[in-house]
Amino acid sequence: MINEFVKVQEGYQCIIQGDYHKAASYYEQAIEAEPEVRVNYWYLGLCLLLQGEEEEASLTWFLGMGETDDEQQIDHWTGELIQILESEAERQEELEDKQLAWTIRQHLRSINPTDVNNLLSSFDLALQLKILDNAYWDELNILKILESVSDYNTIDSNLVLKVTENILELTPLAGYTLNFIKIFTNIIKHQGQNIREFRYIVIYGVIKIMSSFKRNRYAAQILEVLLLIGPEHPDTLLQLSTAYQDSRQYVEGINVAKKLLLCSETLIEKVYTHLTLIRALMTSTGYWDEACAAINKQEELIAALIQESPIIKNNSLVSRLFFSMFFFPYFKDEPAKIRPLQNNLMSLCRKSIEIYDQDIIKQYRYSLPSNKSKNKVLKIGYISSSLKEHSVGWITRWLFNYHNRENFQIYSYMILPAENHNELQEWFIEKSDQSYSFGAKQNHEAIKQIHEDGIDILVDLDSLTLDLSVEILAVKPAPIQVTWLGWDATGLSTIDYFIADPYVLPENAQDYYQEKIWRLPQTYVAVDGFEVNVPTLRREQLDIPDDAVVYFVTQSGYKRHLEHSKLQIEIIKQVPNSYLLIKGHADKDASEKFYGDLAKSQDVDINRLKFLPLMPTEAIHRANLTIADVVLDTSPYNGATTTLETLWREIPLVTKVGQQFAARNSYTMMINAGITEGIAWSDEEYVEWGIRLGKDAELREQISWKLKQGKKSAPLWNGEQFTREMEKAYQQMWERYVTEHSG
């Protein structure tokens, strides 16, 4: 008896070692010696199954059951078999043999077809193996079985977490995903455990759905379900408000933001919740007084936070602080006041990062390069979430296209890349010597990769539009870090330079910038042009006469400043037979009321204002710009890509020049396109230019002719020349760095 027991144990060791044939031999001997010991049949069948002999395995188990009619005995033996197969399936999953684990679980399913935990595991493995087709989905019938479960406590809570994470990672947009989230939320709520972990998984999955797939309304539906386990949970409300805003459910976005504000207790929470409310109000248009009150309160809160100067050990709170001053340039053109506040806020964030990420900084903050030659081939890394079909992508492509590959190696680090087909993103990958993609939870991987690649100059294209990029730059994995294009400078002290030109920042701007301003000789941006499709917009569709003067405002709701919008209505009032077309992301009803109230206050017929839907593509938008005689720019936040597109389409533009970066984009672009007509330095000049261009058709034609001629030689339309200037700047930055660190 003892000898047979030893053989059984030796057999199991052979299974562990992967010698299934030898293990089977042991169990066959054990059965021959003691045929009444049923467990040997279960292990022998398992050995056969592990060798791929599935039919033989099933037959062995059947023989082990014998011909007894004792149902209690059969249930006992079946339980033994299930336990052995379950244990082996788990072991194979730990060994990363998912295919074998899945095969075992199919036999478990045939033995007990309603075992919910096994069904969930089978489904999860099928997801990972990418074998979940319609036939298998119907065969599992898992949603119906889950709905029929009477006792949620029988379901493995950790398994629910695992399946939820994989669904949201691998098939976030599948038809079943929302149904799973509904059922799993009820399970987690009923069990009362793993609530925090479940919420974290769902929220991160939702962020991916919003950032990578742009399915904001779908994301909002998932978050609405998540409210069942925490109707006042700040992170859920924060993401829900954002999802509502981005899916154009503007009123809902505002209401949730206000609810979030009521749940805020600490100073930090109040800062980021006010930001959410400001964004909601600005996205919609039509809530100007509320938005102004919120931005003023935000300034007070940030000043108080800087005064308190706490060390924040929660990285998610720090990342939210990055954005907390994002909307100030939309309200105020006061860089000498606002930029120092921004710099101090970023200093507070950096100090916190250097505490909670100190191990990462020790490992991956740049070290002095071994090759400090001034003439070496430089490794330039571009980090961005926008190297795809996005305004930043359309502009940056010319730099990638013209880079001198003999003197520069180009690396691209794509944060939150598009998951679906994106031609421009694929183009950037092809144009890079090396390209990497990183998800929402892969910051440290990105930092490590940049460090290991030995990047000499890391160029940030996102600035304060993406927290993940800022966190990476705060660690400083490259010796030289530069911000260009995406927005104004961050104010982060680990960024060395901010790319500008002679016009986009005033002469005294260095007085209040943390970064060293590097001015290119002519323009900080240039493109060779834009793709243009066939126009889909005609005057007759809008009930506008052919001889009318058409003004166009193409900016989103963010940029609709009340006082500046009054100037646009004043221009319409002063130009007979003129119309104002208004296009951009905003609440249609709120926008119509916003502009309608302005028109009424100046006795302008509301029918002279036309609200346009968003165009399906950028190329169609550019084509439709030609319906306009004059484009009216916004202030204190100008157009950027929209200005480039307007000038490329040879349409006169009126802009007011301010002091901040955002208020001078159109100015530098017009200068570098070869025109000065339409550049205003005051509200009065803005109105004067608007009226003059509306009434003087000959002047409009002259400007259009200048813009057309400018395409031959103007700096704005010479991507290759601009690339040479950027490369020269990179080389000079490197030479300066080597000189400062030599000896």
Side-chain angles (χ1 to χ4, degrees):
M1 181 76 70
I2 294 175
N3 187 47
E4 296 307 323
F5 177 76
V6 170
K7 284 186 177 181
V8 171
Q9 291 298 101
E10 288 177 349
Y12 188 70
Q13 286 304 311
C14 289
I15 291 176
I16 298 296
Q17 294 164 11
D19 192 345
Y20 306 134
H21 181 76
K22 188 175 181 180
S25 177
Y26 279 122
Y27 289 117
E28 285 170 350
Q29 294 175 40
I31 289 171
E32 186 176 347
E34 297 182 282
E36 72 281 359
V37 179
R38 306 294 175 166
V39 72
N40 294 320
Y41 290 91
W42 316 151
Y43 277 112
L44 176 58
L46 174 61
C47 293
L48 295 169
L49 178 60
L50 294 172
Q51 293 179 91
E53 301 175 48
E54 294 187 51
E55 289 186 14
E56 291 82 354
S58 296
L59 180 59
T60 300
W61 295 328
F62 178 76
L63 290 172
M65 295 293 173
E67 297 181 358
T68 181
D69 293 328
D70 187 341
E71 291 187 8
Q72 188 174 357
Q73 185 66 67
I74 291 174
D75 288 345
H76 174 71
W77 289 339
T78 301
E80 285 183 346
L81 176 57
I82 288 173
Q83 187 175 357
I84 288 169
L85 292 180
E86 177 67 38
S87 177
E88 184 60 24
E90 291 174 358
R91 191 177 75 86
Q92 292 298 337
E93 287 184 55
E94 290 175 4
L95 294 172
E96 291 295 315
D97 194 336
K98 296 183 176 66
Q99 183 64 56
L100 191 50
W102 180 82
T103 299
I104 296 170
R105 290 200 174 280
Q106 300 326 292
H107 285 272
L108 275 168
R109 193 161 61 85
S110 68
I111 297 169
N112 186 2
T114 60
D115 181 348
V116 174
N117 291 319
N118 184 59
L119 284 173
L120 285 174
S121 293
S122 299
F123 170 78
D124 188 48
L125 287 165
L127 276 181
Q128 296 177 65
L129 292 166
K130 299 181 179 178
I131 57 173
L132 183 68
D133 56 17
N134 290 334
Y136 186 62
W137 170 254
D138 292 339
E139 184 184 322
L140 283 175
N141 197 26
I142 188 169
L143 284 176
K144 189 171 182 180
I145 292 173
L146 277 169
E147 289 170 352
S148 67
V149 172
S150 58
D151 184 3
Y152 281 154
N153 289 321
T154 61
I155 300 175
D156 184 343
S157 182
N158 290 319
L159 184 55
V160 169
L161 297 183
K162 181 184 175 186
V163 176
T164 302
E165 185 169 18
N166 283 332
I167 287 174
L168 291 171
E169 176 63 29
L170 301 172
T171 57
L173 305 181
Y176 51 71
T177 299
L178 182 58
N179 288 327
F180 267 116
I181 298 299
K182 289 177 180 177
I183 295 171
F184 287 166
T185 301
N186 282 323
I187 291 170
I188 293 294
K189 181 181 180 182
H190 177 85
Q191 292 181 342
Q193 59 183 350
N194 288 336
I195 290 176
R196 181 179 178 184
E197 294 84 352
F198 179 74
R199 184 188 288 122
Y200 176 86
I201 289 168
V202 174
I203 287 176
Y204 265 94
V206 163
I207 290 171
K208 179 180 179 180
I209 289 170
M210 290 192 287
S211 61
S212 298
F213 298 104
K214 307 302 180 186
R215 291 285 299 275
N216 301 303
R217 189 173 290 268
Y218 183 65
Q221 290 178 302
I222 293 175
L223 290 164
E224 287 168 350
V225 173
L226 197 60
L227 287 176
L228 292 173
I229 55 172
E232 295 184 351
H233 185 260
D235 283 353
T236 308
L237 293 174
L238 173 67
Q239 298 302 332
L240 181 57
S241 178
T242 302
Y244 278 145
Q245 294 168 42
D246 292 349
S247 59
R248 301 175 201 166
Q249 299 178 79
Y250 298 106
V251 174
E252 292 88 344
I254 292 169
N255 289 339
V256 172
K258 289 179 177 179
K259 183 177 180 181
L260 175 63
L261 193 59
L262 293 174
C263 299
S264 303
E265 297 178 356
T266 68
L267 191 52
I268 295 173
E269 288 173 346
K270 289 177 181 177
V271 167
Y272 77 73
T273 53
H274 263 87
L275 173 69
T276 306
L277 177 60
I278 293 165
R279 186 180 190 270
L281 296 169
M282 292 296 288
T283 301
S284 176
T285 295
Y287 297 86
W288 183 252
D289 290 341
E290 281 189 70
C292 286
I295 202 77
N296 289 333
K297 181 63 177 179
Q298 183 76 327
E299 187 172 348
E300 292 177 14
L301 291 170
I302 290 171
L305 184 64
I306 291 169
Q307 179 68 31
E308 184 180 298
S309 193
I311 296 299
I312 309 161
K313 296 182 180 179
N314 185 323
N315 66 326
S316 64
L317 292 181
V318 172
S319 65
R320 288 170 190 166
L321 288 181
F322 292 150
F323 299 117
S324 56
M325 294 189 65
F326 184 86
F327 288 102
F328 280 69
Y330 294 89
F331 289 85
K332 304 176 181 183
D333 183 21
E334 301 174 349
K337 177 183 178 183
I338 298 303
R339 293 269 358 144
L341 197 65
Q342 174 73 33
N343 297 340
N344 290 333
L345 178 64
M346 295 305 286
S347 176
L348 171 64
C349 293
R350 178 185 54 77
K351 290 174 183 176
S352 295
I353 291 170
E354 290 180 344
I355 291 175
Y356 68 68
D357 253 354
Q358 57 183 304
D359 292 338
I360 296 297
I361 291 172
K362 286 177 183 177
Q363 280 184 281
Y364 301 121
R365 179 161 283 182
Y366 78 96
S367 54
L368 294 177
S370 56
N371 183 358
K372 291 190 284 187
S373 169
K374 291 184 178 180
N375 299 314
K376 75 166 197 162
V377 174
L378 291 178
K379 292 184 176 182
I380 310 296
Y382 291 93
I383 181 170
S384 179
S385 63
S386 304
L387 293 175
K388 53 191 174 187
E389 291 169 12
H390 180 280
S391 295
V392 169
W394 295 120
I395 295 171
T396 307
R397 60 180 168 159
W398 301 108
L399 192 58
F400 271 62
N401 188 59
Y402 288 120
H403 258 313
N404 182 336
R405 300 313 172 107
E406 293 182 4
N407 297 330
F408 300 90
Q409 290 182 7
I410 306 305
Y411 293 70
S412 58
Y413 301 94
M414 299 184 177
I415 312 299
L416 302 178
E419 296 285 339
N420 46 357
H421 178 67
N422 191 294
E423 288 186 7
L424 188 55
Q425 179 174 282
E426 292 170 6
W427 182 90
F428 275 113
I429 293 171
E430 291 174 4
K431 284 290 184 178
S432 304
D433 292 292
Q434 293 288 337
S435 182
Y436 308 91
S437 296
F438 301 98
K441 295 184 280 188
Q442 294 183 299
N443 260 19
H444 290 170
E445 288 90 335
I447 291 166
K448 181 175 182 285
Q449 190 64 60
I450 293 165
H451 182 270
E452 290 180 351
D453 287 339
I455 295 301
D456 299 309
I457 301 176
L458 184 61
V459 184
D460 161 38
L461 304 178
D462 288 336
S463 187
L464 292 180
T465 62
L466 186 71
D467 57 341
L468 302 175
S469 298
V470 182
E471 287 183 299
I472 291 168
L473 292 156
V475 171
K476 196 164 189 179
I480 301 171
Q481 298 192 151
V482 181
T483 292
W484 172 63
L485 188 61
W487 201 70
D488 203 343
T490 63
L492 194 63
S493 62
T494 55
I495 298 178
D496 303 278
Y497 300 106
F498 178 54
I499 300 289
D501 62 31
Y503 313 100
V504 78
L505 290 177
E507 291 182 5
N508 68 333
Q510 191 62 68
D511 294 345
Y512 43 79
Y513 269 81
Q514 169 68 47
E515 301 87 342
K516 177 70 176 175
I517 297 170
W518 193 289
R519 294 184 191 263
L520 299 179
Q522 293 176 301
T523 177
Y524 87 97
V525 64
V527 300
D528 278 4
F530 294 97
E531 291 81 0
V532 178
N533 210 318
V534 178
T536 61
L537 203 59
R538 298 186 304 277
R539 292 189 177 206
E540 61 188 47
Q541 292 174 274
L542 302 172
D543 222 9
I544 296 176
D546 289 339
D547 62 346
V549 175
V550 174
Y551 293 91
F552 204 165
V553 175
T554 66
Q555 307 297 344
S556 67
Y558 286 180
K559 299 183 180 181
R560 294 173 187 172
H561 191 285
L562 178 67
E563 298 305 319
H564 191 76
S565 297
K566 288 179 181 177
L567 304 181
Q568 295 169 346
I569 300 298
E570 186 177 340
I571 291 169
I572 303 302
K573 181 178 182 179
Q574 297 297 326
V575 179
N577 195 27
S578 66
Y579 293 79
L580 178 64
L581 308 188
I582 301 158
K583 184 181 80 69
H585 290 280
D587 185 320
K588 185 176 183 294
D589 293 339
S591 292
E592 290 181 3
K593 185 178 187 306
F594 176 79
Y595 281 102
D597 289 346
L598 291 178
K600 185 177 180 181
S601 69
Q602 297 193 53
D603 198 24
V604 172
D605 185 355
I606 186 67
N607 292 315
R608 293 171 66 186
L609 309 182
K610 306 291 182 179
F611 297 89
L612 305 182
L614 296 173
M615 299 299 112
T617 68
E618 292 90 344
I620 293 175
H621 157 72
R622 295 170 197 136
N624 286 334
L625 282 172
T626 54
I627 197 173
D629 295 298
V630 182
V631 169
L632 298 177
D633 198 13
T634 47
S635 178
Y637 204 116
N638 292 171
T641 306
T642 51
T643 294
L644 282 172
E645 292 168 331
T646 298
L647 299 175
W648 179 251
R649 299 296 284 144
E650 302 163 14
I651 302 169
L653 175 77
V654 183
T655 189
K656 177 189 168 188
V657 185
Q659 292 297 303
Q660 64 189 1
F661 175 82
R664 298 171 72 92
N665 264 300
S666 295
Y667 168 50
T668 187
M669 290 173 185
M670 291 171 74
I671 292 291
N672 281 292
I675 61 170
T676 57
E677 297 88 346
I679 296 175
W681 296 87
S682 66
D683 289 350
E684 293 74 20
E685 278 191 57
Y686 182 87
V687 174
E688 288 170 8
W689 270 118
I691 295 170
R692 183 179 172 189
L693 287 171
K695 291 182 175 181
D696 194 336
E698 185 176 342
L699 177 59
R700 296 199 301 270
E701 289 178 6
Q702 290 174 4
I703 294 170
S704 296
W705 182 85
K706 280 187 178 182
L707 288 170
K708 184 174 184 177
Q709 295 302 114
K711 290 180 179 179
K712 301 174 184 177
S713 59
L716 193 65
W717 312 126
N718 193 331
E720 185 171 9
Q721 177 182 303
F722 172 74
T723 302
R724 299 289 85 80
E725 295 295 346
M726 283 286 278
E727 290 177 340
K728 184 178 179 181
Y730 292 157
Q731 287 170 326
Q732 290 175 344
M733 291 173 189
W734 178 252
E735 289 169 7
R736 180 181 295 181
Y737 175 81
V738 169
T739 300
E740 291 174 353
H741 293 84
S742 61

